[in-house]
């Protein structure tokens, strides 16, 4: 099973829906022919889209779902309809062991609520967190969590996020002891809230964990490649993520204005186009698409609602990688180690 | 007095100290000859620097301060030495009515603590906040607060920050009712923490205030020019500010790498140099230097520690503008209005 993950796809989610998700599945299958899929959604819409792809034969099935979660729907409303929606049924397939992971580009709040209720948290984890890979100037991307699943967190939550983030980093970075840091407004020990200071103390008190804790990091150092994992509460993490997005867009706009300010600049821009393309690829959110809900008993990956087919395929690749690496088991093992170590210390 | 502000300068603060601060004063005086200054610091160092500038005659005095607050010094330690340090004595001059505002490029935590103890908060303000102007794609900069003075805030604090930020905006933007928004992780009413939701309710309950409250704003919209004032707790605000700084640096580095990736790109870069210069100016932190501690009975402006002489002059210009506009009185007036309106409602 683990070599050939079976993925449950919410084929109706996202701004452009089935056109994009089915094209994304096709793209993913070309790059990773061992994958198998069940597409959840309106059969009448999906069947003709699926029929276009010969490569889907024997590898991509359709499971009819009569309803769709809308983008504005409240999590509580989406939860009530979970047994009929493409999102709810895709997650149920993971719960029932019929799929190894689910991927959806739908409403984040609804996805979070549905996944939490259907899959529950791993024993020892209080709350799941939303994790994603962010670009750095270092040798590899950075795992950051929580990006908005929990607006308020206590020290124990942040401690658990560190364990979950480190497990994710070991899988994607192939590092035995990832460097973990806590997001704070200063690097000195006395800086920040009681919550971050207590979280730092908790992580320091668990030296047996397969991670290297390097203390606090400030938000201006996020992209410097100084950490493999950065942990924060969901409010701060969401603000950092969105500020970075907004700043990138802001500077992109300034660049466009600057380069069209004179004929000379326009000519320079044309000559520099390969450089600009390189820059755009470096910042393209599609290449890093696929945020993961960590801490649940099954893997659920959130694709950006506006992701392209290639972006959706990248979210699928994330789900496949985490399913193959059995991330849920790894987090549970690390937690079990922490518990047994605590018992040893107490004895 | 208000037309010719007298400014108290901590001449020893900042990464490069008196060389930069004295050159900054000279720059400020060239642009605004009505200003008067007292430079606090080591007389033996300052006297020869001051002597170089003929324009200083009659407008720039020196007041000897035997000690300097270091960059790493704890606020409590700096507080104990406040009667001897250039920072402490500059703030004391504001307290004693000898100066209309103080400017320092020194240790932020120490400056905050010293200003708070010496100047106290305006009646009705629980805590001062750090405010600054940030660039937007709109017609003018944005007032953002708190940027790190208060790691934890309640709804009443955010309400007071909204009043203080609007007063600042009216002065710098010359708008009768600035558009104020609260930083949150979503724009829907139910999003975020209890604190931000309660703060929104408090601001809505005070429609007589000279501001227009437009609800929540997400961090990816910070630079879009959709608000004149953005209010947040100091933890989130600091993270947003530093993430924006870090992202700008990160993209700058990517641009440099992209433009030096091929000969063609290098040539394009040379042709585009005027555009790049324009871009750099648009993002230069020196042009927006000068964060203000709002909510105290006197005006204290913090210059970035690494600001250039021109940057320091910009911080001086901010202090002069706020002193001329009597910002402290304006905030007190708005608060008094709120109190009397509350009484009216209760009656």
């Amino acid at each position: 099973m683990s070599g050939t993950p079976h993925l449950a796809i919410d084929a109706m989610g996202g701004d452009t829906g089935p056109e994009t998700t089915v094209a994304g599945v096709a793209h993913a299958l070309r790059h990773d022919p061992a994958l198998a899929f069940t597409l959840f959604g309106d059969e009448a819409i999906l069947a003709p889209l699926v029929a276009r792809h010969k490569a889907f034969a024997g590898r991509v099935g359709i499971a009819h779902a009569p309803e769709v979660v809308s983008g504005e729907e409240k999590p509580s409303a989406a939860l009530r309809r979970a047994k009929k929606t493409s999102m709810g049924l895709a997650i149920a397939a993971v719960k029932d062991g019929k799929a190894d992971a689910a991927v959806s580009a739908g409403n984040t709040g609804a996805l979070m609520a549905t996944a939490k209720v259907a899959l529950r948290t791993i024993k020892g984890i209080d709350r799941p967190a939303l994790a994603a890979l962010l670009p750095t100037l270092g040798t590899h991307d950075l795992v950051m969590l929580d990006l908005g699943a929990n607006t308020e967190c206590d020290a124990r939550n942040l401690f658990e996020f560190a364990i979950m983030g480190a497990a994710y980093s070991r899988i994607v970075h192939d590092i035995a002891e990832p460097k973990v840091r806590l997001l704070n407004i200063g690097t000195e020990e006395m800086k920040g809230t009681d919550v971050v200071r207590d979280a730092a103390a908790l992580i320091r008190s668990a030296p047996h964990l397969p991670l290297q804790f390097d203390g606090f990091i400030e938000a201006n150092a996020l992209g410097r490649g100084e950490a493999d994992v950065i942990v924060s509460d969901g409010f701060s993490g969401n603000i950092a993520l969105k500020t970075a997005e907004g700043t990138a867009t802001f500077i992109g706009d300034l660049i466009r204005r600057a380069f069209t300010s004179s004929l000379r600049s326009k000519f320079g821009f044309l000559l520099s186009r390969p450089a600009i393309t390189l820059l755009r690829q470096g910042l393209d959110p599609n290449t890093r698409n696929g945020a993961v809900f960590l801490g649940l008993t099954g893997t659920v990956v959130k694709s950006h609602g506006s992701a392209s087919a290639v972006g959706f395929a990248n979210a699928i690749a994330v789900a496949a990688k985490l399913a193959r690496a059995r991330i849920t088991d790894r987090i549970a093992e690390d937690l079990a180690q922490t518990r047994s170590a605590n018992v040893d210390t107490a004895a």
Side-chain angles (χ1 to χ4, degrees), chain A:
Chain A
M1 172 194 103
S2 72
T4 59
H6 189 122
L7 303 177
I9 305 293
D10 168 11
M12 310 303 283
D15 301 349
T16 44
E19 289 281 350
T20 306
T21 55
V22 174
V25 167
H27 197 275
L29 202 54
R30 271 197 298 280
H31 282 77
D32 191 348
L35 297 178
F37 297 90
T38 302
L39 310 185
F40 292 83
D42 187 332
E43 197 160 14
I45 296 173
L46 295 177
L49 290 172
V50 166
R52 287 189 206 162
H53 299 276
K54 283 186 191 160
F56 280 11
R59 304 221 70 84
V60 180
I62 298 174
H64 182 65
E67 298 184 12
V68 177
V69 174
S70 79
E72 300 74 34
E73 194 163 342
K74 283 195 181 173
S76 53
L79 256 181
R80 279 193 295 274
R81 302 197 295 122
K83 283 183 182 166
K84 293 179 181 173
T85 63
S86 57
M87 180 190 282
L89 290 168
I91 291 171
V94 177
K95 186 195 174 187
D96 299 340
K98 292 177 191 157
D100 300 307
V103 182
S104 173
N107 181 328
T108 311
L111 186 65
M112 178 76 204
T114 310
K116 218 168 146 178
V117 168
L119 297 171
R120 308 273 159 185
T121 53
I122 296 169
K123 196 190 158 196
I125 294 283
D126 188 34
R127 297 205 214 158
L130 190 60
L133 293 171
L134 303 184
T136 75
L137 296 169
T139 51
H140 55 253
D141 287 353
L142 145 86
V143 171
M144 186 154 167
L145 75 168
D146 175 26
L147 294 173
N150 309 282
T151 48
E152 276 158 300
C153 295
D154 62 21
R156 177 76 202 181
N157 296 141
L158 298 182
F159 172 71
E160 291 169 6
F161 297 171
I163 293 176
M164 295 173 350
Y168 190 6
S169 170
R170 290 205 305 282
I171 291 167
V172 290
H173 298 140
D174 200 22
I175 299 171
E177 298 206 336
K179 285 187 268 184
V180 175
R181 296 179 76 171
L182 282 168
L183 186 63
N184 199 352
I185 60 170
T187 52
E188 303 88 343
E189 266 189 47
M190 79 282 191
K191 281 287 170 96
T193 59
D194 289 346
V195 170
V196 290
R197 285 192 303 260
D198 291 350
L202 268 179
I203 304 174
R204 284 208 180 86
S205 72
H208 60 281
L209 284 174
L211 60 85
Q212 174 190 324
F213 181 58
D214 287 346
F216 300 134
I217 190 164
E218 288 188 84
N220 56 350
L222 286 179
R224 287 193 202 144
E226 294 169 2
D228 302 312
V229 180
I230 294 181
V231 172
S232 75
D233 66 273
F235 195 88
S236 310
N238 188 279
I239 281 173
L241 179 73
K242 286 188 183 151
T243 304
E245 273 176 27
T247 308
T249 308
F250 175 84
I251 296 174
D253 207 282
L254 278 187
I255 291 176
R256 218 165 298 121
R257 287 186 194 185
F259 276 112
T260 50
S261 61
S262 74
L263 196 64
R264 181 178 147 176
S265 288
K266 275 182 200 162
F267 188 59
F269 180 79
L270 286 177
L271 269 176
S272 313
R273 187 155 288 177
I276 306 272
T277 306
L278 207 72
L279 179 65
R280 197 168 290 153
Q281 283 165 354
L283 293 173
D284 185 356
N286 280 309
T287 60
R288 287 178 193 78
N289 188 37
V292 193
F293 289 120
L294 293 178
L296 298 173
T297 61
T299 299
V300 176
V301 171
K302 164 78 175 93
S303 165
H304 203 286
S306 63
S308 64
V310 172
F312 196 75
N314 283 325
I316 290 172
V318 168
K321 189 158 202 166
L322 293 175
R324 282 186 174 120
R326 301 178 305 106
I327 185 155
T328 303
D329 296 346
R330 290 215 191 182
I331 293 172
E333 285 157 20
D334 290 351
L335 279 166
Q337 260 191 44
T338 306
R339 274 194 299 274
S340 63
N342 282 349
V343 170
D344 290 354
T345 315

